[in-house]
Structure formats: C-alpha cells, structure tokens
Amino acid sequence: MKLSKQDRRQRLRFRIRKTVTGTVQRPRLAVFRSNKEIYAQLIDDVSGKTITAASSRDKDIDAAKANKVEAAKLVGKAIAEKAVKAGVDTISFDRGGYLYHGRVKQLAEGAREGGLKF
C-alpha cells in the first residue's frame, strides 16, 4: 500500500515527536511549511503554551520581498530575536516531518545566526 505525501509526513511527525519535546528551559522550535509561507513557533510542551512565533507573513519579512528560501532564513532570525528577548537561548528543533533541506534548513541556520543553540 502506497502512502500519500500527507500520511508519510504525519508518520514522520509522530516519530519525531516521540523524542523531541519542549520545556521552559529548552522549548521546541516547531516548523510548518506551506507552499507559499513558512511558520515557526517556540512551544513549551509541559504547559502546552506557545512562547513566541514568527512567520513569513509578518510585516517586516513580507516587506523584504525575498524569495521563499531567503524568507525562511529571515523567519529563523526573527524567531531567534524574539526567543532571546524571552530569555531562551537553547532549543529543540522539530522539523515537523519535513526533510532538513531547503527552506527548513535555512530557517534553522537563520535561528543559529540569531543566537539560538540547538
């Protein structure tokens, strides 16, 4: 039986989430990638709260008129900046079932440049 792309990604997501969890000291950086946009949020799984979030739809990133890969890097830098303001410097990276490649990789590299440690 052949799985659809969505089913395959869902299985990968569940497999990743078994091991990657977020705490107050080390929140989870969750990535969601749509065809046009990319979203990132820092999540404390213990209390079930989002600490901060950033996306390519934010006004400053959208105004940059960058392509999707460059926008992903800007989102990574933005989430890192917000995380540092919130007092977070170490995170767990949750790629959300996507391959660590292209936009997801650029988001991670942008977050590292912004001062986050994985």
Side-chain angles (χ1 to χ4, degrees):
M1 184 180 104
K2 187 160 167 77
L3 293 174
S4 70
K5 274 187 176 180
Q6 290 84 3
D7 290 337
R8 181 181 164 282
R9 190 180 143 253
Q10 193 69 19
R11 282 189 176 184
L12 283 168
R13 258 188 72 230
F14 291 148
R15 198 179 323 147
I16 291 165
R17 289 286 288 119
K18 275 190 235 175
T19 56
V20 178
T21 56
T23 61
V24 177
Q25 295 81 20
R26 188 182 173 113
R28 173 171 58 98
L29 175 59
V31 175
F32 175 73
R33 190 192 77 190
S34 74
N35 285 337
K36 286 185 175 180
E37 314 289 347
I38 191 158
Y39 306 84
Q41 53 183 334
L42 284 176
I43 303 168
D44 170 16
D45 289 314
V46 176
S47 64
K49 294 215 165 40
T50 297
I51 297 166
T52 186
S55 80
S56 56
R57 297 184 69 185
D58 293 350
K59 287 193 186 329
D60 54 339
I61 296 168
D62 198 28
K65 296 289 185 224
N67 66 34
K68 292 191 284 190
V69 177
E70 292 163 355
K73 193 162 197 165
L74 293 174
V75 170
K77 288 180 181 176
I79 194 85
E81 187 181 300
K82 290 178 179 181
V84 170
K85 276 186 190 169
V88 174
D89 62 347
T90 309
I91 57 152
S92 300
F93 189 69
D94 175 7
R95 59 191 172 91
Y98 303 107
L99 294 177
Y100 186 78
H101 180 307
R103 291 191 281 158
V104 175
K105 185 175 181 180
Q106 286 301 313
L107 189 144
E109 287 176 5
R112 281 193 189 97
E113 285 177 19
L116 290 180
K117 296 179 194 77
F118 287 49

